[in-house]
Amino acid sequence: MADVRHGSFDFSAPGITYFELNFKSTKLPKFVDLPVPSLPTPLQEISDPVTMGAGVTLFIKRDDLIHPTVSGNKWRKLKYNLLEAKQQGATTILTFGGAFSNHLYATAAAGAYLNLKTIGIVRGEDPGELKSSTLKFCEQQGMTLHFVSREEYKLRNSQDYIDELSVKLGNPFVIPEGGTSEWALKGVEEMTYEVDQQLTQKPDYYAVAAGTGGTAAGILSSGANVLAFSALKGGEFLRQDILNLIGTGHSNGKLDLFTNYHFKGYAKHTQELLDFIRWFKEYHEIQLEQVYTGKMLFGLYDLMKNGYFQKGTTIVAVHTGGLQGLLDEMK
Ligand SMILES: *Cc1c(COP(=O)(O)O)cnc(C)c1O
Protein backbone atom coordinates (compact mmCIF):
# COMPACT_ATOMS: atom_id res chain seq x y z
CA MET A 1 0.00 0.00 0.00
CA ALA A 2 3.02 2.18 -0.01
CA ASP A 3 3.97 3.53 -3.39
CA VAL A 4 0.45 4.43 -4.33
CA ARG A 5 0.25 5.29 -7.97
CA HIS A 6 -2.45 6.92 -9.95
CA GLY A 7 -2.80 5.64 -13.47
CA SER A 8 -4.27 7.36 -16.47
CA PHE A 9 -7.54 5.71 -15.63
CA ASP A 10 -10.38 8.17 -15.55
CA PHE A 11 -13.52 7.46 -13.62
CA SER A 12 -15.64 9.57 -11.39
CA ALA A 13 -17.48 7.06 -9.22
CA PRO A 14 -16.96 7.64 -5.51
CA GLY A 15 -15.16 5.49 -2.97
CA ILE A 16 -12.16 4.53 -5.01
CA THR A 17 -8.82 3.76 -3.45
CA TYR A 18 -5.73 2.77 -5.32
CA PHE A 19 -3.82 -0.16 -3.93
CA GLU A 20 -0.48 -1.51 -4.90
CA LEU A 21 -0.67 -4.26 -7.43
CA ASN A 22 -1.70 -7.48 -5.79
CA PHE A 23 0.28 -9.70 -8.05
CA LYS A 24 3.45 -7.80 -7.83
CA SER A 25 6.06 -7.64 -10.49
CA THR A 26 9.73 -7.15 -9.87
CA LYS A 27 9.96 -5.46 -13.23
CA LEU A 28 8.08 -2.46 -14.41
CA PRO A 29 5.41 -3.04 -17.03
CA LYS A 30 6.68 -3.41 -20.56
CA PHE A 31 4.17 -0.91 -21.78
CA VAL A 32 3.84 2.58 -20.50
CA ASP A 33 0.96 4.03 -18.54
CA LEU A 34 -0.49 0.81 -17.25
CA PRO A 35 -2.28 1.76 -14.05
CA VAL A 36 -2.28 -0.65 -11.14
CA PRO A 37 -5.62 -2.27 -10.30
CA SER A 38 -7.94 -0.18 -8.23
CA LEU A 39 -9.47 -2.14 -5.39
CA PRO A 40 -12.03 -2.25 -4.08
CA THR A 41 -13.91 -1.48 -7.27
CA PRO A 42 -16.82 0.92 -6.83
CA LEU A 43 -20.27 -0.34 -5.95
CA GLN A 44 -22.58 2.04 -7.77
CA GLU A 45 -26.29 2.28 -7.09
CA ILE A 46 -28.40 2.90 -10.15
CA SER A 47 -32.05 3.73 -10.44
CA ASP A 48 -34.42 4.16 -13.37
CA PRO A 49 -38.09 3.57 -14.20
CA VAL A 50 -37.58 -0.21 -14.35
CA THR A 51 -35.81 -0.60 -11.00
CA MET A 52 -38.29 1.77 -9.38
CA GLY A 53 -41.26 -0.01 -10.91
CA ALA A 54 -39.96 -3.31 -9.56
CA GLY A 55 -39.07 -1.87 -6.16
CA VAL A 56 -35.59 -3.28 -6.59
CA THR A 57 -32.43 -1.70 -5.21
CA LEU A 58 -29.82 -2.31 -7.88
CA PHE A 59 -26.09 -1.89 -7.60
CA ILE A 60 -23.47 -2.37 -10.29
CA LYS A 61 -20.17 -3.77 -9.05
CA ARG A 62 -17.78 -1.92 -11.32
CA ASP A 63 -15.19 -4.62 -11.93
CA ASP A 64 -14.90 -3.20 -15.44
CA LEU A 65 -12.80 -0.50 -13.76
CA ILE A 66 -10.41 -2.90 -12.12
CA HIS A 67 -7.76 -2.66 -14.80
CA PRO A 68 -7.70 -1.51 -18.43
CA THR A 69 -6.35 -4.72 -19.95
CA VAL A 70 -6.71 -7.34 -17.23
CA SER A 71 -10.31 -6.43 -16.68
CA GLY A 72 -13.28 -7.57 -14.71
CA ASN A 73 -13.75 -11.17 -13.76
CA LYS A 74 -10.64 -12.12 -15.71
CA TRP A 75 -8.51 -10.22 -13.23
CA ARG A 76 -10.35 -11.85 -10.33
CA LYS A 77 -9.96 -15.30 -11.85
CA LEU A 78 -6.31 -14.89 -12.85
CA LYS A 79 -5.04 -13.48 -9.58
CA TYR A 80 -4.54 -16.71 -7.63
CA ASN A 81 -3.74 -18.72 -10.73
CA LEU A 82 -0.83 -16.39 -11.39
CA LEU A 83 0.25 -16.21 -7.78
CA GLU A 84 0.30 -20.00 -7.75
CA ALA A 85 2.29 -20.05 -10.99
CA LYS A 86 4.82 -17.64 -9.52
CA GLN A 87 5.01 -19.65 -6.32
CA GLN A 88 5.71 -22.82 -8.28
CA GLY A 89 8.48 -20.98 -10.08
CA ALA A 90 6.77 -21.27 -13.44
CA THR A 91 8.14 -19.13 -16.24
CA THR A 92 5.44 -19.91 -18.80
CA ILE A 93 1.65 -19.90 -18.68
CA LEU A 94 -0.41 -21.98 -21.08
CA THR A 95 -4.10 -21.41 -21.52
CA PHE A 96 -7.00 -21.82 -23.93
CA GLY A 97 -9.52 -19.63 -25.73
CA GLY A 98 -11.33 -18.65 -28.90
CA ALA A 99 -10.40 -15.87 -31.31
CA PHE A 100 -12.37 -13.28 -29.30
CA SER A 101 -11.49 -14.56 -25.85
CA ASN A 102 -11.34 -11.91 -23.13
CA HIS A 103 -9.44 -14.47 -21.10
CA LEU A 104 -6.64 -14.83 -23.66
CA TYR A 105 -6.49 -11.05 -23.88
CA ALA A 106 -6.20 -10.65 -20.11
CA THR A 107 -3.71 -13.50 -19.75
CA ALA A 108 -1.46 -12.09 -22.45
CA ALA A 109 -1.49 -8.68 -20.78
CA ALA A 110 -0.93 -10.05 -17.28
CA GLY A 111 1.89 -12.27 -18.55
CA ALA A 112 3.66 -9.28 -20.08
CA TYR A 113 3.14 -7.36 -16.89
CA LEU A 114 4.51 -10.14 -14.71
CA ASN A 115 7.29 -11.14 -17.02
CA LEU A 116 5.81 -14.58 -17.63
CA LYS A 117 5.82 -16.14 -21.09
CA THR A 118 2.36 -16.98 -22.33
CA ILE A 119 1.08 -19.57 -24.78
CA GLY A 120 -2.47 -19.48 -26.09
CA ILE A 121 -4.09 -22.60 -27.52
CA VAL A 122 -6.64 -21.08 -29.87
CA ARG A 123 -9.75 -22.80 -31.20
CA GLY A 124 -9.90 -22.98 -35.01
CA GLU A 125 -7.63 -22.44 -37.95
CA ASP A 126 -4.91 -19.81 -38.10
CA PRO A 127 -6.57 -16.81 -39.78
CA GLY A 128 -3.20 -15.45 -40.88
CA GLU A 129 -3.45 -11.76 -41.67
CA LEU A 130 -7.12 -11.75 -40.71
CA LYS A 131 -6.54 -12.26 -37.01
CA SER A 132 -9.08 -10.73 -34.67
CA SER A 133 -7.97 -7.62 -32.83
CA THR A 134 -8.01 -9.72 -29.66
CA LEU A 135 -5.45 -12.14 -31.06
CA LYS A 136 -3.38 -9.32 -32.50
CA PHE A 137 -3.24 -7.76 -29.06
CA CYS A 138 -2.23 -11.12 -27.55
CA GLU A 139 0.68 -11.36 -29.97
CA GLN A 140 1.72 -7.79 -29.25
CA GLN A 141 1.91 -8.73 -25.58
CA GLY A 142 4.24 -11.56 -26.52
CA MET A 143 1.80 -14.46 -26.37
CA THR A 144 2.64 -17.39 -28.64
CA LEU A 145 -0.49 -18.63 -30.38
CA HIS A 146 -1.07 -22.26 -31.33
CA PHE A 147 -4.12 -22.82 -33.49
CA VAL A 148 -5.83 -26.18 -33.11
CA SER A 149 -8.84 -27.70 -34.87
CA ARG A 150 -12.24 -27.49 -33.21
CA GLU A 151 -12.01 -31.24 -32.64
CA GLU A 152 -8.69 -30.97 -30.85
CA TYR A 153 -9.91 -27.97 -28.86
CA LYS A 154 -12.64 -30.14 -27.36
CA LEU A 155 -9.89 -32.02 -25.53
CA ARG A 156 -8.90 -28.87 -23.60
CA ASN A 157 -10.03 -30.26 -20.24
CA SER A 158 -8.68 -33.78 -20.73
CA GLN A 159 -5.72 -34.49 -18.48
CA ASP A 160 -3.99 -36.71 -21.09
CA TYR A 161 -4.18 -33.93 -23.65
CA ILE A 162 -2.91 -31.34 -21.18
CA ASP A 163 -0.01 -33.64 -20.22
CA GLU A 164 0.84 -34.11 -23.88
CA LEU A 165 0.83 -30.35 -24.49
CA SER A 166 2.91 -29.76 -21.37
CA VAL A 167 5.63 -32.14 -22.50
CA LYS A 168 5.63 -30.61 -25.96
CA LEU A 169 5.65 -27.00 -24.77
CA GLY A 170 8.18 -27.02 -21.95
CA ASN A 171 6.09 -27.84 -18.90
CA PRO A 172 4.17 -24.57 -18.51
CA PHE A 173 1.72 -23.71 -15.74
CA VAL A 174 -1.66 -24.57 -17.23
CA ILE A 175 -4.71 -22.40 -16.66
CA PRO A 176 -8.00 -23.81 -17.98
CA GLU A 177 -10.22 -21.99 -20.47
CA GLY A 178 -11.68 -18.78 -19.08
CA GLY A 179 -9.20 -18.93 -16.19
CA THR A 180 -11.76 -21.12 -14.50
CA SER A 181 -10.05 -23.29 -11.90
CA GLU A 182 -10.14 -23.72 -8.14
CA TRP A 183 -7.87 -20.68 -7.93
CA ALA A 184 -10.38 -18.64 -9.86
CA LEU A 185 -13.08 -19.22 -7.29
CA LYS A 186 -10.89 -17.81 -4.55
CA GLY A 187 -10.33 -14.60 -6.50
CA VAL A 188 -14.01 -14.19 -7.27
CA GLU A 189 -14.92 -14.74 -3.63
CA GLU A 190 -12.81 -11.71 -2.79
CA MET A 191 -15.07 -9.59 -4.95
CA THR A 192 -18.00 -10.58 -2.72
CA TYR A 193 -16.02 -9.64 0.40
CA GLU A 194 -15.58 -6.19 -1.05
CA VAL A 195 -19.33 -5.97 -1.58
CA ASP A 196 -20.04 -7.19 1.97
CA GLN A 197 -18.03 -4.24 3.26
CA GLN A 198 -19.51 -1.76 0.84
CA LEU A 199 -23.10 -2.84 1.49
CA THR A 200 -22.66 -3.94 5.12
CA GLN A 201 -24.89 -6.93 4.37
CA LYS A 202 -25.21 -9.63 1.74
CA PRO A 203 -27.36 -8.64 -1.22
CA ASP A 204 -30.35 -10.90 -1.90
CA TYR A 205 -28.78 -11.80 -5.24
CA TYR A 206 -25.79 -11.28 -7.44
CA ALA A 207 -26.49 -11.14 -11.16
CA VAL A 208 -23.69 -12.30 -13.42
CA ALA A 209 -23.12 -13.36 -17.02
CA ALA A 210 -21.92 -16.92 -17.47
CA GLY A 211 -19.57 -18.41 -20.04
CA THR A 212 -17.76 -21.21 -18.23
CA GLY A 213 -19.62 -20.52 -14.99
CA GLY A 214 -16.46 -19.91 -12.97
CA THR A 215 -17.54 -16.48 -11.81
CA ALA A 216 -20.98 -17.70 -10.79
CA ALA A 217 -19.34 -20.61 -8.94
CA GLY A 218 -17.02 -18.28 -7.02
CA ILE A 219 -19.90 -16.10 -5.87
CA LEU A 220 -21.99 -19.12 -4.86
CA SER A 221 -19.13 -20.58 -2.87
CA SER A 222 -18.97 -17.34 -0.88
CA GLY A 223 -22.49 -18.22 0.30
CA ALA A 224 -24.36 -15.65 -1.80
CA ASN A 225 -27.29 -16.32 -4.15
CA VAL A 226 -26.68 -15.97 -7.87
CA LEU A 227 -28.78 -15.17 -10.90
CA ALA A 228 -26.60 -16.49 -13.74
CA PHE A 229 -27.36 -15.52 -17.33
CA SER A 230 -25.91 -17.84 -19.94
CA ALA A 231 -24.12 -15.98 -22.73
CA LEU A 232 -24.39 -19.06 -24.92
CA LYS A 233 -27.18 -21.06 -26.44
CA GLY A 234 -28.01 -24.33 -24.72
CA GLY A 235 -26.54 -23.09 -21.46
CA GLU A 236 -28.29 -25.71 -19.31
CA PHE A 237 -25.00 -27.60 -18.98
CA LEU A 238 -23.73 -24.69 -16.90
CA ARG A 239 -25.69 -25.82 -13.85
CA GLN A 240 -23.72 -29.06 -13.56
CA ASP A 241 -20.44 -27.39 -14.48
CA ILE A 242 -20.97 -24.81 -11.77
CA LEU A 243 -21.83 -27.47 -9.17
CA ASN A 244 -18.73 -29.45 -10.16
CA LEU A 245 -16.58 -26.37 -9.73
CA ILE A 246 -17.90 -25.61 -6.27
CA GLY A 247 -17.58 -29.19 -5.09
CA THR A 248 -19.30 -30.37 -1.95
CA GLY A 249 -18.69 -29.83 1.70
CA HIS A 250 -19.64 -26.26 2.40
CA SER A 251 -22.81 -24.24 2.27
CA ASN A 252 -23.32 -22.37 -0.95
CA GLY A 253 -25.82 -19.84 -2.11
CA LYS A 254 -28.76 -20.67 -4.34
CA LEU A 255 -28.34 -20.68 -8.11
CA ASP A 256 -30.97 -19.45 -10.56
CA LEU A 257 -29.77 -20.12 -14.10
CA PHE A 258 -31.34 -18.28 -17.05
CA THR A 259 -30.65 -19.73 -20.48
CA ASN A 260 -33.04 -17.71 -22.66
CA TYR A 261 -31.09 -14.48 -22.95
CA HIS A 262 -28.39 -15.72 -25.31
CA PHE A 263 -29.58 -13.64 -28.31
CA LYS A 264 -29.01 -16.39 -30.88
CA GLY A 265 -25.86 -17.74 -29.27
CA TYR A 266 -22.40 -17.02 -28.04
CA ALA A 267 -20.95 -13.74 -29.37
CA LYS A 268 -24.11 -13.21 -31.44
CA HIS A 269 -26.47 -10.31 -30.92
CA THR A 270 -29.70 -8.73 -32.10
CA GLN A 271 -30.74 -5.13 -32.71
CA GLU A 272 -32.87 -5.29 -29.57
CA LEU A 273 -29.79 -6.10 -27.51
CA LEU A 274 -27.74 -3.29 -29.06
CA ASP A 275 -30.62 -0.85 -28.45
CA PHE A 276 -30.72 -1.86 -24.81
CA ILE A 277 -26.95 -1.36 -24.44
CA ARG A 278 -27.26 2.11 -26.02
CA TRP A 279 -30.14 3.01 -23.73
CA PHE A 280 -28.28 1.78 -20.68
CA LYS A 281 -25.24 3.84 -21.54
CA GLU A 282 -27.27 6.93 -22.20
CA TYR A 283 -29.27 6.63 -19.00
CA HIS A 284 -26.60 5.41 -16.59
CA GLU A 285 -23.35 6.36 -18.31
CA ILE A 286 -22.16 2.79 -17.99
CA GLN A 287 -20.88 1.02 -21.08
CA LEU A 288 -21.87 -2.63 -21.49
CA GLU A 289 -20.79 -4.97 -24.28
CA GLN A 290 -22.85 -7.32 -26.41
CA VAL A 291 -21.18 -10.67 -25.52
CA TYR A 292 -21.77 -10.90 -21.77
CA THR A 293 -22.77 -7.92 -19.67
CA GLY A 294 -25.36 -6.58 -22.14
CA LYS A 295 -27.15 -9.92 -22.19
CA MET A 296 -27.04 -10.25 -18.41
CA LEU A 297 -28.49 -6.80 -17.78
CA PHE A 298 -31.07 -7.21 -20.53
CA GLY A 299 -32.18 -10.42 -18.80
CA LEU A 300 -32.21 -8.82 -15.38
CA TYR A 301 -34.27 -5.88 -16.66
CA ASP A 302 -36.67 -8.30 -18.31
CA LEU A 303 -37.14 -10.13 -15.00
CA MET A 304 -37.70 -6.84 -13.16
CA LYS A 305 -40.28 -5.76 -15.73
CA ASN A 306 -42.07 -9.07 -15.35
CA GLY A 307 -42.41 -8.90 -11.59
CA TYR A 308 -39.92 -11.67 -10.86
CA PHE A 309 -38.62 -10.02 -7.68
CA GLN A 310 -40.33 -9.12 -4.43
CA LYS A 311 -40.34 -5.43 -3.66
CA GLY A 312 -37.38 -4.50 -1.51
CA THR A 313 -35.02 -6.97 -3.17
CA THR A 314 -31.38 -5.90 -3.31
CA ILE A 315 -29.34 -7.03 -6.31
CA VAL A 316 -25.68 -6.56 -7.16
CA ALA A 317 -25.10 -6.95 -10.90
CA VAL A 318 -21.43 -7.59 -11.58
CA HIS A 319 -19.94 -5.65 -14.47
CA THR A 320 -17.42 -8.29 -15.45
CA GLY A 321 -15.65 -6.01 -17.94
CA GLY A 322 -14.88 -7.36 -21.39
CA LEU A 323 -15.17 -3.96 -23.06
CA GLN A 324 -12.25 -4.75 -25.37
CA GLY A 325 -14.82 -6.89 -27.22
CA LEU A 326 -17.31 -4.06 -27.75
CA LEU A 327 -18.50 -3.85 -31.36
CA ASP A 328 -16.89 -0.96 -33.25
CA GLU A 329 -20.28 0.41 -34.24
CA MET A 330 -21.15 0.73 -30.52
CA LYS A 331 -18.12 2.82 -29.59
C1 LIG B 1 -15.33 -14.32 -19.59
C2 LIG B 1 -16.43 -13.37 -19.26
C3 LIG B 1 -17.60 -13.80 -18.59
C4 LIG B 1 -17.87 -15.23 -18.29
O1 LIG B 1 -17.27 -15.64 -17.08
P1 LIG B 1 -17.29 -17.16 -16.65
O2 LIG B 1 -16.58 -17.17 -15.35
O3 LIG B 1 -16.51 -17.91 -17.71
O4 LIG B 1 -18.68 -17.63 -16.58
C5 LIG B 1 -18.54 -12.83 -18.24
N1 LIG B 1 -18.36 -11.54 -18.57
C6 LIG B 1 -17.27 -11.11 -19.23
C7 LIG B 1 -17.18 -9.68 -19.59
C8 LIG B 1 -16.27 -12.01 -19.59
O5 LIG B 1 -15.20 -11.56 -20.27
Side-chain angles (χ1 to χ4, degrees):
M1 259 155 276
D3 185 29
V4 176
R5 291 164 49 199
H6 292 258
S8 58
F9 227 177
D10 171 37
F11 46 88
S12 46
I16 297 154
T17 28
Y18 292 81
F19 282 79
E20 253 243 282
L21 187 57
N22 267 325
F23 44 91
K24 207 169 181 179
S25 171
T26 48
K27 276 184 75 171
L28 280 173
K30 279 185 194 163
F31 30 91
V32 219
D33 251 358
L34 184 75
V36 299
S38 53
L39 295 170
T41 57
L43 186 69
Q44 182 178 353
E45 184 170 357
I46 65 168
S47 159
D48 57 44
V50 178
T51 62
M52 286 188 276
V56 165
T57 306
L58 178 60
F59 295 90
I60 309 286
K61 179 63 171 163
R62 298 295 305 274
D63 269 13
D64 55 316
L65 301 176
I66 208 167
H67 196 280
T69 51
V70 191
S71 100
N73 63 342
K74 300 308 183 285
W75 193 92
R76 301 281 186 188
K77 294 202 285 180
L78 278 171
K79 177 179 170 185
Y80 287 101
N81 276 300
L82 293 174
L83 281 173
E84 180 63 18
K86 279 275 184 192
Q87 207 142 39
Q88 290 183 14
T91 55
T92 307
I93 303 291
L94 176 127
T95 193
F96 304 86
F100 301 94
S101 164
N102 291 333
H103 166 65
L104 284 184
Y105 187 98
T107 305
Y113 200 43
L114 296 174
N115 211 20
L116 287 163
K117 288 198 198 103
T118 52
I119 303 173
I121 306 293
V122 188
R123 180 182 58 224
E125 260 165 58
D126 187 344
E129 292 300 296
L130 298 175
K131 275 193 194 77
S132 66
S133 59
T134 301
L135 293 183
K136 282 185 189 150
F137 174 86
C138 289
E139 285 191 327
Q140 281 161 12
Q141 299 304 307
M143 181 178 261
T144 308
L145 303 178
H146 285 275
F147 292 87
V148 301
S149 68
R150 277 158 198 278
E151 280 311 304
E152 182 171 336
Y153 191 80
K154 284 185 189 151
L155 299 171
R156 66 192 176 278
N157 293 323
S158 129
Q159 195 54 51
D160 285 349
Y161 178 64
I162 292 171
D163 291 346
E164 196 185 307
L165 281 176
S166 295
V167 171
K168 218 160 59 182
L169 298 170
N171 210 19
F173 184 89
V174 178
I175 301 179
E177 180 184 58
T180 295
S181 67
E182 57 172 310
W183 300 114
L185 269 56
K186 191 173 169 192
V188 173
E189 279 178 35
E190 283 184 355
M191 184 274 294
T192 70
Y193 304 150
E194 286 180 19
V195 172
D196 289 346
Q197 297 219 326
Q198 290 166 316
L199 260 190
T200 68
Q201 66 185 67
K202 280 212 186 313
D204 295 306
Y205 299 99
Y206 281 86
V208 71
T212 63
T215 308
I219 300 171
L220 287 164
S221 71
S222 80
N225 300 325
V226 172
L227 311 162
F229 295 84
S230 171
L232 14 90
K233 205 192 298 200
E236 289 79 15
F237 72 89
L238 282 167
R239 182 181 304 280
Q240 194 56 49
D241 282 9
I242 289 169
L243 292 179
N244 292 345
L245 280 165
I246 299 171
T248 47
H250 58 112
S251 60
N252 304 307
K254 186 163 81 65
L255 170 66
D256 289 325
L257 176 65
F258 299 93
T259 57
N260 290 331
Y261 299 106
H262 57 73
F263 295 88
K264 294 183 174 169
Y266 181 68
K268 303 216 164 80
H269 61 267
T270 64
Q271 194 54 48
E272 194 185 17
L273 177 63
L274 299 187
D275 289 346
F276 173 79
I277 291 170
R278 285 207 182 88
W279 170 80
F280 197 86
K281 175 159 186 211
E282 221 169 272
Y283 204 100
H284 295 299
E285 295 179 8
I286 298 176
Q287 180 73 65
L288 307 172
E289 42 67 56
Q290 75 286 348
V291 183
Y292 293 104
T293 50
K295 292 181 183 182
M296 178 271 287
L297 276 154
F298 186 104
L300 184 60
Y301 270 64
D302 198 46
L303 295 176
M304 285 193 285
K305 284 180 199 163
N306 288 302
Y308 185 87
F309 301 107
Q310 278 182 2
K311 287 208 188 309
T313 299
T314 299
I315 302 174
V316 171
V318 186
H319 194 323
T320 40
L323 291 169
Q324 68 93 11
L326 182 65
L327 278 181
D328 281 340
E329 64 182 276
M330 298 291 284
K331 283 171 187 163

